[in-house]
């Protein structure tokens, strides 16, 4: 009789534990990389439709452009997936990193952009004490920290290329969330602020601190003649210029020298590993712009599609696109140099999915890509290692000097290709770049299930061993207390009852997502 009761007791406990395991399984969500692109699709800020309705619009070919076109989504080409780690190891490191630049007294916040002025100084744009966090914008892209006022310290610094000493600085009490910086052929400085949703043109070295041209309405996101988190500017020799209206509208606009709109193009697309299938003229955050004067091209870093798209600067017609599987599916910025027949210097970012498969392997480097062959020529990084969150890049016309702006750690890197690099991390203690490999959601799910299975098996064995002589007690709080809460025992009851925060999905916001502060605590933005 006792044997029958014991079997029934064991069966009831087995059923209860299985129910608990099923409940835990349903609560599990795949882990999200802390630099993963949070939204697989970014909808137009002015759209009143929900995401599903917007998706139908895109599939019908509508969007923010000069004219709607029928979307013809091609099938991805069948190609052999390379061993990324092995192929990356084969690339030469042509730019050497040393800790001797800039001057030690230069203190920076998150560095968002870098360029050169006519004197050859390295001009940078940084956020000082501001961080783009999860609550910085609401779901309508309205800036939520206007009450803090503008940044009180200089946001624009010019560093002497040899010593790294500050030559001049400006930009106090004006900007809220710096993003893009470009110095044009006349030494004017063009800046974008994603909090203000505006584009500004300043005279050389900032002049009197007042812009000579302002586009967009302050703190008013929108489309049409408004912007929504504009990212970058590129300026032609005749003064005409382009604006990448990046985070919400996913478009490029061309203006005359006086600020009159000439044309615009671009539509939203999905992000991820879509560089080989995303249609022409579609963007998942046009994040940076560069000009190729010899070919009269404007090129854009299509960030979440992992590619560079190039267009005729005269009329916006698509010309070509550039990508390499070793770069991955996120490409943050690029700059053009006519050296060696024309090259693009590229910085990528942590990929959205890292796992055990070869196609998931990712390294964050700078890359040099030949526009002629569309092949990678070399790679570079701090001390031949990896960057963590590069955001922008600039290169001299001769290709001998490259500068990389990095959000976190707060770096400005200056590299020389002639085996005598000058570079130093600033804005706090130097943090060496290291290879970071995050497990995929699938791997974490499998590991969690294995641990739960092992724990449940152990629990069943212990229940049977301890209770076979006592008979069957109700499977409740009293039973668990007697069986598991001894001072020298394993507290399985406490484990099953405690909050399961470890299984919660990370917060996800549409953003720049470069880790500025709180390093590995949450997804970050830019």
């Amino acid at each position: 009789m006792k044997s029958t009761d014991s079997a029934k007791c064991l069966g009831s406990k087995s059923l209860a534990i299985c129910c608990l395991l099923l409940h835990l399984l349903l609560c599990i969500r795949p882990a999200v990389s802390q630099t993963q692109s949070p939204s697989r699709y970014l909808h137009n800020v002015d759209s009143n439709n929900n995401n599903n309705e917007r998706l139908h619009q895109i599939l019908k070919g509508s969007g923010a452009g000069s004219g709607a076109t029928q979307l013809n989504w091609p099938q991805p080409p069948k190609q052999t997936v390379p061993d990324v780690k092995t192929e990356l190891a084969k690339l030469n490191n042509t730019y050497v990193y040393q800790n001797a630049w800039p001057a030690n007294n230069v203190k920076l916040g998150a560095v968002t952009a870098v360029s050169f002025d006519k004197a050859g100084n390295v001009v940078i744009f940084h956020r000082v004490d501001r961080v783009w966090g999860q609550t910085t914008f609401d779901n309508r892209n309205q800036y939520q920290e206007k009450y803090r006022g503008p940044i009180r310290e200089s946001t624009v610094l010019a560093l002497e290329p040899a010593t790294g000493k500050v030559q001049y600085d400006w930009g106090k009490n004006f900007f809220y969330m710096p993003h893009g910086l470009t110095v044009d052929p006349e030494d004017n400085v063009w800046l974008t602020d994603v909090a203000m949703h505006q584009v500004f043109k300043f005279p050389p070295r900032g002049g009197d601190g007042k812009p000579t041209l302002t586009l967009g309405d302050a703190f008013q996101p929108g489309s049409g003649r408004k912007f929504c988190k504009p990212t970058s500017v590129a300026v032609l020799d005749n003064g005409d210029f382009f604006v990448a209206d990046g985070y919400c509208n996913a478009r490029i606009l061309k203006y005359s020298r006086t600020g009159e709109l000439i044309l615009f193009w671009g539509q939203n697309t999905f992000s991820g590993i879509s560089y080989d299938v995303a249609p022409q003229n579609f963007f998942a955050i046009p994040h940076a712009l560069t000009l190729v004067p010899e070919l009269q091209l404007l090129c854009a870093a299509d960030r979440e599609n992992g590619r560079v798209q190039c267009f005729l600067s005269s009329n916006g017609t698509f010309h070509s696109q550039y990508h390499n599987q070793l770069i991955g599916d996120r490409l943050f910025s690029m700059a053009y140099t006519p050296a060696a027949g024309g090259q693009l210097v590229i910085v990528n970012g942590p990929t959205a999915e890292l796992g055990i498969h070869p196609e998931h392997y990712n390294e964050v480097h700078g890359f040099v890509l030949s526009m002629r062959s569309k092949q990678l020529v070399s790679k570079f990084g701090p001390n031949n290692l990896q960057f963590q969150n590069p955001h922008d890049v600039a290169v001299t016309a001769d290709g001998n000097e490259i500068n990389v702006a990095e959000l976190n750690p707060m770096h400005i890197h200056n590299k020389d290709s002639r085996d005598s690099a000058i570079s130093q991390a600033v804005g706090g203690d130097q943090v060496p770049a290291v290879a970071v490999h995050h497990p995929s959601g699938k791997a974490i799910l499998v590991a969690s299930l294995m641990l739960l299975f092992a724990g449940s098996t152990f629990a069943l064995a212990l229940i049977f061993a301890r209770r076979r002589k006592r008979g069957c007690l109700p499977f409740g709080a009293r039973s668990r207390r007697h069986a598991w809460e001894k001072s020298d025992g394993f507290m399985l009851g406490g484990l099953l009852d405690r909050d399961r925060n470890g299984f919660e999905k990370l917060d996800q916001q549409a953003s720049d997502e470069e880790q500025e502060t709180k390093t590995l605590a949450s997804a970050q933005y830019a």
Side-chain angles (χ1 to χ4, degrees):
M1 184 67 178
K2 287 185 178 180
S3 176
T4 304
D5 291 342
S6 177
K8 290 181 179 179
C9 177
L10 181 59
S12 65
K13 292 176 175 56
S14 300
L15 179 61
I17 291 178
C18 289
C19 292
L20 285 173
L21 290 176
L22 179 61
H23 178 67
L24 289 173
L25 177 60
L26 293 175
C27 291
I28 292 177
R29 295 292 186 273
V32 179
S33 169
Q34 290 166 12
T35 52
Q36 178 174 348
S37 176
S39 176
R40 303 306 289 176
Y41 170 70
L42 302 176
H43 60 275
N44 190 300
V45 67
D46 281 352
S47 175
N48 293 322
N49 300 321
N50 60 30
N51 285 346
N52 289 332
E53 292 171 337
R54 179 62 180 156
L55 172 59
H56 290 307
Q57 289 180 1
I58 289 181
L59 294 178
K60 293 177 181 178
S62 62
S66 56
T69 58
Q70 183 66 29
L71 174 57
N72 182 19
W73 198 278
Q75 294 297 319
K78 293 182 179 180
Q79 52 186 345
T80 303
V81 177
D83 186 329
V84 176
K85 186 174 183 178
T86 300
E87 294 302 316
L88 281 171
K90 294 178 183 178
L91 286 176
N92 294 325
N93 290 280
T94 53
Y95 292 83
V96 184
Y97 178 98
Q98 293 180 352
N99 298 324
W101 190 95
N104 291 330
N105 62 346
V106 179
K107 302 300 179 183
L108 299 177
V111 186
T112 62
V114 58
S115 187
F116 298 101
D117 65 12
K118 291 181 70 173
N121 295 309
V122 180
V123 185
I124 62 174
F125 201 21
H126 75 121
R127 291 176 178 164
V128 188
D129 61 344
R130 300 296 167 89
V131 175
W132 186 342
Q134 300 176 30
T135 59
T136 303
F137 296 87
D138 63 16
N139 58 8
R140 296 180 61 83
N141 297 299
Q142 295 278 355
Y143 183 59
Q144 298 298 293
E145 299 177 2
K146 187 179 177 181
Y147 64 89
R148 299 181 62 182
I151 299 172
R152 296 180 179 88
E153 300 179 32
S154 295
T155 54
V156 180
L157 304 178
L159 307 177
E160 201 277 326
T163 65
K165 294 182 179 180
V166 177
Q167 300 299 293
Y168 57 88
D169 64 278
W170 57 279
K172 297 179 181 178
N173 299 311
F174 190 93
F175 299 100
Y176 287 76
M177 190 62 67
H179 196 279
L181 176 148
T182 300
V183 181
D184 70 19
E186 298 177 359
D187 232 19
N188 299 304
V189 185
W190 299 76
L191 300 159
T192 69
D193 188 306
V194 291
M196 302 174 76
H197 305 286
Q198 287 182 298
V199 177
F200 305 97
K201 175 186 178 183
F202 286 85
R205 303 195 174 197
D208 60 357
K210 297 180 180 180
T212 58
L213 179 65
T214 300
L215 296 176
D217 294 344
F219 303 104
Q220 296 298 317
S223 58
R225 294 186 178 272
K226 293 182 179 181
F227 300 116
C228 185
K229 300 176 184 174
T231 55
S232 184
V233 176
V235 186
L236 296 170
D237 289 338
N238 66 356
D240 292 351
F241 61 96
F242 302 88
V243 174
D245 192 12
Y247 284 96
C248 318
N249 295 321
R251 58 179 181 169
I252 296 174
L253 305 95
K254 182 178 181 180
Y255 293 87
S256 70
R257 183 185 187 94
T258 58
E260 295 296 324
L261 181 62
I262 298 174
L263 60 91
F264 69 98
W265 70 95
Q267 300 183 56
N268 262 315
T269 186
F270 294 96
S271 62
I273 307 176
S274 54
Y275 49 81
D276 53 352
V277 297
Q280 303 168 4
N281 302 306
F282 279 69
F283 300 102
I285 308 179
H287 197 251
L289 300 175
T290 193
L291 294 168
V292 183
E294 296 89 340
L295 300 177
Q296 298 183 348
L297 296 178
L298 170 79
C299 296
D302 189 0
R303 199 184 87 172
E304 300 301 314
N305 283 329
R307 61 180 179 177
V308 175
Q309 289 195 72
C310 295
F311 310 89
L312 297 181
S313 58
S314 58
N315 57 19
T317 300
F318 177 85
H319 177 272
S320 53
Q321 72 173 19
Y322 302 86
H323 176 81
N324 190 286
Q325 287 183 286
L326 304 187
I327 294 174
D329 61 1
R330 304 184 79 203
L331 192 154
F332 276 76
S333 186
M334 85 270 105
Y336 172 76
T337 173
Q343 295 177 331
L344 291 174
V345 178
I346 293 168
V347 289
N348 68 340
T351 192
E353 178 71 18
L354 293 176
I356 60 176
H357 299 293
E359 63 268 26
H360 292 160
Y361 185 81
N362 169 254
E363 291 184 10
V364 183
H365 292 285
F367 298 92
V368 179
L369 184 146
S370 169
M371 291 191 71
R372 288 183 174 179
S373 66
K374 295 190 175 183
Q375 298 300 313
L376 293 182
V377 176
S378 62
K379 69 177 186 292
F380 59 89
N383 292 320
N384 294 337
L385 297 175
Q386 296 185 49
F387 295 107
Q388 293 189 33
N389 291 282
H391 194 256
D392 194 24
V393 62
V395 60
T396 55
D398 59 11
N400 285 332
E401 183 180 337
I402 291 176
N403 289 265
V404 176
E406 192 164 28
L407 286 181
N408 180 45
M410 300 165 186
H411 288 190
I412 178 68
H413 306 278
N414 182 303
K415 304 175 184 298
D416 193 324
S417 65
R418 294 163 294 187
D419 298 328
S420 59
I422 46 177
S423 180
Q424 183 182 18
V426 294
D429 294 337
Q430 180 183 349
V431 181
V434 295
V436 180
H437 187 75
H438 300 287
S440 69
K442 184 184 294 184
I444 291 178
L445 177 61
V446 172
S448 300
L449 290 175
M450 291 178 64
L451 288 173
L452 289 172
F453 177 76
S456 63
T457 302
F458 173 75
L460 288 172
L462 198 54
I463 288 173
F464 182 75
R466 291 193 175 188
R467 300 204 176 188
R468 60 188 303 176
K469 296 180 180 181
R470 301 182 185 180
C472 181
L473 294 177
F475 193 86
R478 182 177 181 86
S479 173
R480 286 200 306 274
R481 182 169 64 252
H482 287 294
W484 304 112
E485 291 190 5
K486 293 183 179 180
S487 59
D488 59 347
F490 175 59
M491 304 289 287
L492 179 63
L495 174 64
L496 294 177
D497 287 342
R498 70 181 56 168
D499 291 338
R500 291 181 293 275
N501 292 334
F503 298 119
E504 292 178 358
K505 195 171 184 179
L506 294 178
D507 289 334
Q508 298 187 18
Q509 297 286 336
S511 67
D512 235 8
E513 299 181 73
E514 299 82 24
Q515 297 167 315
E516 298 177 17
T517 62
K518 305 179 182 178
T519 53
L520 298 179
S522 63
Q524 295 293 313
Y525 312 82

